[in-house]
């Protein structure tokens, strides 16, 4: 009876032990070949392409060979793949509708791969988030913010919105916007600022520091003083320049005014009358 | 404490355990100390001390505490007391601006002498470098036709002396003779020169003054600029001794800088 049952089962599924063994061999071969070939190609391309591109290539090669050998395994087992093709068509339609967003992210990722607005290691600002790019994957990019948060940004968002790459160019400008009191001699202020910039070794000599008069504010004469540094020194420049300008202004007695209002009694020459009342004494 | 003659600055000396060396060179104040299995370096740049006479003091237990920044310690278990200071040229190009820009007329050539600060390489034992320190920290600058392409360099000011006898020599600046050739039909205003200092040799003359390989810069008729570096000591130098090789080598001694602002 058992032998008859096995024979019936074999007849039902049109398979035998040797075919299972062959299928298993094909599957294992595919697994090993996919792994070896993908690593080989990764080793070849990693010195020529970016980390992101070589990673995507490795994954694509692996899955392509693996799926190929899965199909070969199924054929070896005697499955009629034409049925699968029909089912796959219907499945694709269903999945297509369901995964529009994912497909958009994948395609956006491919566009980003070609355009390369940023790479792993760059610092970017997108949608109010600023941080270092730690990976760029099929569906999204991963960012580590400076306060050590993990942020996942879909590739579609990266393609559709403005992305600022802080680390694209080797030098960067820092703008100091401030004001001094109206009583100050502006040429003296400019001289003091230029002297501070000149003495700061990480402040680039060129491009030259730039002074821009921004206008006459309510409480101060407003200006912008722009200085440059290497990308790596930008934070140190930001801190050191502001501290040194404050020290220099204190030393040179240049006032950075608080917001204030001047009240006139209707004439600039008559003083305003003032009476001090002692609250403790009666009357 | 004993004072060492400054003209023997580049020679190897013995710094035994618990001894320190204090060097004042330009605005640099450098202290090197040898302890058991350890070497320490402390340095600072002092403001407005360029005219101070260079000095070298050797003694026991020289005080480190005056120097609060730039203290480095090196663990080194090999038994050696040999210390040498070697002069090196800058590790980047140096962009030098004449204090007063001048014009080089059409089809004219001139020589000018540009000085750049040197770096001190602190070496112990069998050629083990502890640190390189500039005698003063020059300002960073950017050399390029725009803010996206170019290189980081150092910036110095120069009097751009045209006459050799107007040069003031000292032990911490190296003089580069620069030949400027204007091969165009128009005068060029010389506002700045970028010297490829890492490609130059460093020499000393019999008076222990420091020199580099001479450089020729040609502004060509097509407004390109080519630069030629002579691999030998300058003609102005008698009894030249080579102190340091270039930091970087070039395959040929003539090359064209694609940056149009080599001469600006």
């Amino acid at each position: 009876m058992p032998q008859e049952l096995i024979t019936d089962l074999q007849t039902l599924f049109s398979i035998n032990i040797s075919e299972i063994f062959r299928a298993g061999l094909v599957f294992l071969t595919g697994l090993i070949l996919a792994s070896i070939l993908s690593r080989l190609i990764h080793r070849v391309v990693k010195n020529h392409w970016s980390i992101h591109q070589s990673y995507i290539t490795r994954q694509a090669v692996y899955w392509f060979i693996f799926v190929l050998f899965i199909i070969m395994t199924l054929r070896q087992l005697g499955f009629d793949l034409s049925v699968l093709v029909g089912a796959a068509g219907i499945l694709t339609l269903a999945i297509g509708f369901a995964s529009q967003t994912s497909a958009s992210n994948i395609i956006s990722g491919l566009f980003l791969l070609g355009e390369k607005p940023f790479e792993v290691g760059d610092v970017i600002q997108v949608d109010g988030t600023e941080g270092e790019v730690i990976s760029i994957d099929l569906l999204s990019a991963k960012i580590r913010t400076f306060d050590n948060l993990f942020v996942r940004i879909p590739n579609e968002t990266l393609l559709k919105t403005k992305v600022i790459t802080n680390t694209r160019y080797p030098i960067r400008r820092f703008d100091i916007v401030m004001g001094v009191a109206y009583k100050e001699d502006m040429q003296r202020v400019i001289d003091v600022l230029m002297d501070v910039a000149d003495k700061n070794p990480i402040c680039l000599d060129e491009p030259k520091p730039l002074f821009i008069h921004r206008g006459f504010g309510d409480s101060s004469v407003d200006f912008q003083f722009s200085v440059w540094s290497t990308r790596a020194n930008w934070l140190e420049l930001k801190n050191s320049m502001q501290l040194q300008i404050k020290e220099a202004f204190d030393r040179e007695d240049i006032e950075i005014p608080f917001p204030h209002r001047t009240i006139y009694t209707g004439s600039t020459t008559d003083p305003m009358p003032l009476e001090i009342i002692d609250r403790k004494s009666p009357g | 404490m004993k004072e060492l003659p400054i003209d023997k600055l580049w020679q190897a000396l013995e710094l035994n355990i618990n001894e320190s060396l204090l060097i004042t060179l330009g605005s640099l104040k450098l202290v090197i100390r040898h302890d058991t299995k350890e070497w320490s370096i402390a340095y600072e740049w002092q403001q407005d001390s360029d005219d101070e006479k260079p000095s070298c003091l050797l003694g026991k237990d020289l005080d480190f505490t005056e120097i609060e920044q730039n203290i480095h310690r090196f663990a080194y278990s090999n038994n050696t007391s040999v210390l040498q200071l070697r002069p090196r040229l800058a590790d980047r190009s140096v962009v030098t601006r004449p204090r007063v820009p001048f014009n080089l007329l059409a089809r004219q050539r001139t020589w000018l002498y540009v000085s750049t600060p040197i770096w001190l390489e602190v070496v112990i034992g069998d050629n083990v470098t502890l640190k390189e320190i500039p005698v003063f920290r020059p300002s960073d600058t950017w050399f390029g036709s725009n803010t996206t392409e170019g290189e980081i360099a150092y910036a110095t000011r120069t009097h751009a002396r045209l006459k050799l006898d107007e040069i003031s020599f000292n032990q911490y600046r190296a003089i580069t003779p620069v030949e400027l050739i204007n091969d165009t039909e128009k005068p060029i205003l010389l506002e700045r020169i970028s010297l490829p200092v890492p490609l130059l040799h460093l020499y000393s003359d019999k008076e222990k003054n420091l020199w580099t390989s001479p450089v020729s810069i040609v502004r060509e008729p097509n407004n390109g600029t080519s630069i030629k570096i002579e691999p030998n000591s300058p003609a102005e130098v008698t009894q030249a001794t080579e102190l340091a090789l270039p930091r970087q080598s070039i395959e040929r001694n003539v090359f064209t800088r694609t940056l149009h602002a080599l001469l600006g």
Side-chain angles (χ1 to χ4, degrees), chain A residues 190-203:
Chain A
I190 294 170
D191 291 342
V192 169
L193 290 169
M194 291 298 179
D195 187 57
V196 170
D198 191 50
K199 287 195 167 94
N200 190 325
I202 61 170
C203 176

Side-chain angles (χ1 to χ4, degrees), chain B residues 31-247:
Chain B
V31 181
I32 304 168
R33 182 176 169 78
H34 183 193
D35 288 308
T36 310
K37 295 187 181 177
E38 181 180 332
W39 290 78
S40 309
I41 294 174
Y43 60 92
E44 65 179 5
W45 294 287
Q46 297 166 302
Q47 301 285 343
D48 303 323
S49 60
D50 264 2
D51 295 331
E52 197 170 321
K53 192 180 153 198
S55 68
C56 191
L57 295 171
L58 174 72
K60 285 186 182 296
D61 301 322
L62 283 173
D63 200 356
F64 258 46
T65 56
E66 282 180 16
I67 301 176
E68 292 173 350
Q69 301 170 2
N70 302 315
I71 299 175
H72 304 270
R73 296 169 62 190
F74 303 88
Y76 192 69
S77 55
N78 289 14
N79 252 348
T80 181
S81 302
V82 174
L83 169 72
Q84 187 177 11
L85 293 177
R86 294 180 190 161
R88 301 293 302 274
L89 290 170
D91 54 356
R92 298 180 200 157
S93 295
V94 176
V95 177
T96 185
R97 302 169 67 90
R99 290 183 198 273
V100 180
F102 66 91
N103 290 283
L104 182 61
L105 299 175
R107 302 288 176 197
Q108 291 290 313
R109 63 175 60 198
T110 189
W111 282 93
L112 57 91
Y113 299 91
V114 175
S115 70
T116 56
I118 60 164
W119 266 236
L120 291 188
E121 184 188 10
V122 181
V123 179
I124 59 170
D126 189 17
N127 216 26
V128 175
T129 298
L130 294 183
K131 196 142 182 67
E132 281 193 26
I133 306 151
V135 291
F136 72 86
R137 171 69 167 91
S139 182
D140 289 348
T141 191
W142 178 251
F143 189 76
S145 52
N146 55 52
T147 56
T148 62
E149 291 171 353
E151 60 174 353
I152 289 291
Y154 292 119
T156 67
R157 299 278 193 279
T158 181
H159 291 285
R161 302 290 188 199
L162 300 180
K163 297 178 200 169
L164 190 57
D165 52 15
E166 289 178 358
I167 299 172
S168 56
F169 291 95
N170 52 51
Q171 273 92 1
Y172 51 89
R173 295 187 78 101
I175 307 291
T176 303
V178 181
E179 184 185 20
L180 292 170
I181 302 169
N182 183 3
D183 218 6
T184 69
E185 295 300 327
K186 292 180 186 175
I188 50 173
L189 177 64
L190 193 73
E191 290 178 306
R192 65 185 195 278
I193 307 167
S194 172
L195 285 181
V197 174
L199 301 176
L200 306 180
H201 294 253
L202 179 63
Y203 301 95
S204 71
D205 61 17
K206 61 179 181 183
E207 281 91 29
K208 309 294 180 198
N209 300 316
L210 299 172
W211 294 84
T212 76
S213 325
V215 170
S216 290
I217 302 176
V218 182
R219 174 57 69 89
E220 289 161 350
N222 60 359
N223 278 331
T225 307
S226 67
I227 183 165
K228 181 181 174 186
I229 298 168
E230 300 290 338
N232 37 268
S233 61
E236 294 86 344
V237 177
T238 52
Q239 294 179 23
T241 306
E242 186 174 46
L243 296 179
L245 293 170
R247 288 179 184 269

